[in-house]
Amino acid sequence: MLPEFPSHASAPLADQLEQRLGLPSPCETGRFDVERVAGIAVLAAAHSDGYAATAHLLGLLAALPAPTGTGEPFWSNLWRSSGTAYLLPTNIKDLVLRSLAGEGTGLAGQILSAVDEMTPPQRVAAAEVIGQALAESDHLPDLKAQVIGELWLRDLELTAWRVLHAGHNSPDVAGRNAFVEAWTSV
């Protein structure tokens, strides 16, 4: 499940192209040489982690029962077991839709808040509910629901962190130089 990206989602990459390669936004593509194309590819690859993490986050949520009438028992069981309403479809719907448009940091923050709010027993109970749903839908009856659910929760938590981390602004030239200087002086 790959998110769609409206034109404003490419603004960070466009800013980097202008800042690092001196390519103004309205620059025509017929004037690019191989070195410029390679520079664009490097910058695009540097930004791909955030897009891939957002897509993975959406894929994890898509593995759960759909938030429809037939999936309602799962979501109410998840709410009761986890002790948090942060993950309920009504509370993340807008964030999921924004993630589909390429902006995943809001959803990632909400997910990390939900996981942080859970006590260890609530996390175990939530993992059991999630694992049971995944075991049934993925036909994995040989694996324990608790294990499947805990792995899913860990993946969700780590992926949310990756989305947030990738979403922070890249350091400016002075920040980059300070980083290089700090590491060369060790």
Side-chain angles (χ1 to χ4, degrees):
M1 170 178 286
L2 290 176
E4 296 177 19
F5 295 101
S7 59
H8 74 275
S10 64
L13 179 58
D15 292 344
Q16 290 289 320
L17 288 172
E18 188 167 351
Q19 179 185 30
R20 296 189 186 267
L21 299 178
L23 297 174
S25 296
C27 186
E28 293 184 23
T29 60
R31 301 186 333 197
F32 290 164
D33 59 12
V34 172
E35 188 175 331
R36 294 257 180 175
V37 171
I40 291 168
V42 166
L43 288 172
H47 285 270
S48 68
D49 188 45
Y51 299 138
T54 298
H56 186 67
L57 198 61
L58 292 168
L60 287 167
L61 291 174
L64 298 177
T68 61
T70 57
E72 200 281 324
F74 165 79
W75 292 100
S76 62
N77 287 340
L78 181 60
W79 180 18
R80 278 194 300 279
S81 64
S82 69
T84 181
Y86 282 133
L87 294 177
L88 289 178
T90 55
N91 294 332
I92 63 170
K93 176 184 174 181
D94 290 337
L95 299 171
V96 167
L97 295 176
R98 279 193 233 150
S99 294
L100 286 166
E103 173 47 52
T105 56
L107 179 60
Q110 181 92 348
I111 287 168
L112 288 175
S113 293
V115 172
D116 184 51
E117 188 175 273
M118 287 184 226
T119 64
Q122 288 172 327
R123 184 179 176 112
V124 168
E128 182 72 35
V129 169
I130 292 165
Q132 187 63 42
L134 293 174
E136 291 171 5
S137 68
D138 291 343
H139 309 293
L140 302 169
D142 296 341
L143 298 174
K144 291 182 179 177
Q146 170 60 38
V147 172
I148 295 169
E150 181 56 35
L151 290 172
W152 187 92
L153 273 172
R154 284 185 207 166
D155 195 4
L156 184 75
E157 190 174 20
L158 180 59
T159 303
W161 163 247
R162 286 181 52 217
V163 169
L164 287 180
H165 183 67
H168 79 283
N169 293 332
S170 300
D172 58 7
V173 175
R176 173 76 178 146
N177 290 340
F179 176 81
V180 170
E181 186 178 318
W183 279 96
T184 55
S185 66
V186 173

